[in-house]
Amino acid sequence: MSMMLKIGLVAVAAVFIALPLRKDKGEFTLLIGLVASILIFLYALDKLQMIADFLSGLMDRLPIENSYLAALFKMLGIIYIADFTSNICREAGFGSIGNQIEIFAKLSIVALSIPVLVYLVDVVEGFL
């Protein structure tokens, strides 16, 4: 069974379990959503490892410092964690907290990208 099919089945099963509980036991729907999200995250870690291996092999071939690869992985982690937590906050009824998480994530990514942008400017200046 393909990975996407497994993830889809986990998501659909969580929705079908949570729907009948929404009226009477609303607190359980959040818990079910959280458990399903964690399971999907664990499946996503496998794909993330494959991407990490590819990028690591690519970095070995290119004359670029490993710190830039580390920054890229940090950015990917920030994106995934921010999206995950902000959606959970919204689902729990705390949309403003979810928005603040997203703003903080965007600012963190900009801060992490500054050294990469400086390197890019240096490369462009070297060509000119």
Side-chain angles (χ1 to χ4, degrees):
M1 189 181 321
S2 78
M3 186 70 71
M4 189 61 223
L5 185 58
K6 288 179 186 178
I7 290 172
L9 288 175
V10 166
V12 170
V15 168
F16 281 139
I17 292 170
L19 276 177
L21 299 174
R22 181 169 272 180
K23 286 184 180 177
D24 299 330
K25 308 267 186 193
E27 63 275 2
F28 288 120
T29 60
L30 179 63
L31 185 62
I32 291 168
L34 183 62
V35 169
S37 296
I38 290 171
L39 285 173
I40 292 169
F41 175 74
L42 293 175
Y43 280 120
L45 284 179
D46 183 46
K47 297 296 181 187
L48 192 60
Q49 182 62 43
M50 187 172 64
I51 293 168
D53 293 341
F54 169 75
L55 289 175
S56 180
L58 187 64
M59 293 301 288
D60 290 340
R61 300 164 112 188
L62 297 174
I64 299 174
E65 293 180 34
N66 286 336
S67 62
Y68 299 121
L69 179 63
L72 178 65
F73 282 126
K74 287 178 185 178
M75 288 178 202
L76 288 172
I78 289 170
I79 290 167
Y80 196 85
I81 291 169
D83 189 53
F84 180 78
T85 55
S86 68
N87 285 333
I88 288 174
C89 289
R90 281 193 192 92
E91 188 68 30
F94 296 97
S96 62
I97 295 174
N99 289 337
Q100 293 301 316
I101 289 170
E102 288 181 354
I103 289 170
F104 179 77
K106 290 172 186 176
L107 292 173
S108 298
I109 290 171
V110 169
L112 274 172
S113 66
I114 289 172
V116 176
L117 292 173
V118 169
Y119 176 75
L120 181 63
V121 168
D122 289 343
V123 168
V124 169
E125 281 180 348
F127 285 131
L128 298 177

